[in-house]
Amino acid sequence: MRVLVVEDERMLADAIAEGLRAEAMAVDVCYDGDSARTRLAVYDYDVAVLDRDLPGMGGDELCRRVAAGEHHTRVLMLTAATEVADRVHGLSIGADDYLGKPFAFAELTARVRALARRSAPAAPPVLDRAGISLDTVRRQVFRDGRYVPLSNKEFGVLAELMRADGAVVSAERLLEKVWDEHIDPATNVVRVTMMTLRRKLADPPVIETLAGVGYVIR
């Protein structure tokens, strides 16, 4: 899951990003509307957590552009304007959800996850393939009934492969969905993560590498 946090209060923006990353999400941060507009044009985000009162392009206009474009990005407006009329206006211009400040971080996380499920084709909460069972809600993985402890990135990579349902997933796609914009596109982090993931899943191997193409679970 890839999330864009757009909030001009830097300490709050960074705290939200840190918390969402701890929940195994890939998170980018913008502190103004103009840079957020650029990011949204370049990257494929599942959810944008968007403050309404932003320098540069305002949050309302940014929300309208996301809703009117070809994005599948879902918008969660996060703002101190919490009157009924404010919420109605935010939803009417294209926001998918609305959360007032102050807020409970657990609720923010739950709302982001719910919106991310809506941004992609529906998938069952538990994915099963090749003897692997991956529970996206409890964030647990079992191989032939054996519990497999995974890091956040290993879980994210495996989840993308499982969701592909036998299709090949490129390293570029994994970088985009599991890591954030600060990752070097020339890095070997996908290959290293895949090595540790294969080791933890144990034999017989289930993840196949197609040279120059990507990875697949048969």
Side-chain angles (χ1 to χ4, degrees):
M1 183 191 312
R2 189 160 188 178
V3 180
L4 177 64
V5 175
V6 191
E7 167 63 62
D8 63 329
E9 295 182 37
R10 290 179 176 250
M11 290 184 63
L12 176 59
D14 294 343
I16 292 172
E18 182 179 354
L20 293 179
R21 288 176 184 134
E23 296 293 324
M25 302 181 198
V27 185
D28 297 333
V29 180
C30 292
Y31 306 112
D32 63 83
D34 293 333
S35 60
R37 176 181 57 180
T38 300
R39 300 276 177 81
L40 286 162
V42 173
Y43 298 106
D44 184 21
Y45 292 101
D46 297 291
V47 179
V49 179
L50 177 63
D51 186 23
R52 289 185 69 177
D53 186 16
L54 293 169
M57 177 175 286
D60 284 4
E61 179 60 24
L62 189 59
C63 180
R64 288 190 187 96
R65 294 196 179 205
V66 173
E70 297 180 353
H71 303 277
H72 75 275
T73 303
R74 302 295 182 177
V75 175
L76 170 60
M77 278 197 164
L78 185 65
T79 173
T82 57
E83 296 297 326
V84 171
D86 297 315
R87 297 197 300 270
V88 169
H89 177 71
L91 295 170
S92 70
I93 62 175
D96 298 281
D97 200 356
Y98 200 104
L99 183 61
K101 301 175 184 176
F103 57 89
F105 187 77
E107 181 180 5
L108 171 65
T109 302
R111 287 174 182 258
V112 169
R113 289 197 186 283
L115 289 178
R117 289 195 294 270
R118 291 167 53 189
S119 73
V126 178
L127 305 173
D128 292 289
R129 188 171 187 86
I132 299 171
S133 177
L134 183 145
D135 189 324
T136 61
V137 177
R138 295 182 176 84
R139 304 193 63 75
Q140 294 178 337
V141 173
F142 293 85
R143 171 84 191 269
D144 297 326
R146 174 182 62 87
Y147 174 68
V148 182
L150 298 180
S151 71
N152 286 338
K153 297 305 183 187
E154 291 161 357
F155 185 93
V157 166
L158 182 59
E160 287 300 314
L161 294 175
M162 297 283 281
R163 290 189 183 102
D165 197 26
V168 177
V169 181
S170 68
E172 292 76 13
R173 171 71 176 179
L174 292 173
L175 279 174
E176 180 177 321
K177 299 302 290 185
V178 182
W179 283 267
D180 60 33
E181 66 176 342
H182 300 293
I183 194 70
D184 181 353
T187 183
N188 66 348
V189 66
V190 173
R191 182 175 62 83
V192 172
T193 302
M194 202 66 69
M195 288 173 58
T196 60
L197 178 58
R198 284 173 166 142
R199 177 176 55 78
K200 290 182 178 182
L201 291 174
D203 293 330
V206 292
I207 301 176
E208 181 179 348
T209 300
L210 302 179
V213 181
Y215 304 90
V216 61
I217 294 181
R218 297 297 189 187

